[in-house]
Amino acid sequence: MTNNDCRFYFPDSSSPVSFSTHLLAEDTCDSSPRYHCARCNKSYKYRVGLYKHLKYECGKEPQFQCSHCPYKSKQRANMKRHTLFRHGFNTE
């Protein structure tokens, strides 16, 4: 693969990342289709990722508030991870 083959590699003078480093760091350089948000242009490998982004994240305030600290999250899974690692217990 050359840098002309990858639609996600845009070299510029402010980023000295070589194309080979880009290939090692990015998993987006395959030929699989991506799902793009029409509002903010974020892309996801799987349709469910875009669905969750649209339902919980894009243009929305965090919906999940930690009951033990000021932390807020836009996704329930992130809140569960937060309470487990920050407060030492699972919310279930």
Side-chain angles (χ1 to χ4, degrees), residues 25-41:
E26 298 291 330
D27 64 352
T28 59
C29 294
D30 57 12
S31 61
S32 63
R34 305 282 299 177
Y35 298 92
H36 296 272
C37 176
R39 295 184 206 155
C40 69
N41 208 29

Side-chain angles (χ1 to χ4, degrees), residues 9-62:
Y9 180 67
F10 302 105
D12 61 15
S13 59
S14 65
S15 177
V17 176
S18 70
F19 182 66
S20 58
T21 303
H22 166 76
L23 286 178
L24 293 173
E26 298 291 330
D27 64 352
T28 59
C29 294
D30 57 12
S31 61
S32 63
R34 305 282 299 177
Y35 298 92
H36 296 272
C37 176
R39 295 184 206 155
C40 69
N41 208 29
K42 283 189 176 184
S43 69
Y44 297 87
K45 188 171 185 176
Y46 301 105
R47 188 177 357 181
V48 69
L50 177 59
Y51 171 79
K52 287 181 179 182
H53 167 74
L54 292 170
K55 184 174 181 180
Y56 297 111
E57 295 179 7
C58 194
K60 299 184 180 183
E61 293 296 317

Side-chain angles (χ1 to χ4, degrees), residues 75-86:
Q75 292 193 19
R76 185 185 321 268
N78 292 342
M79 182 58 65
K80 287 181 179 183
R81 185 173 47 247
H82 164 79
T83 56
L84 179 63
F85 290 109
R86 291 290 181 186

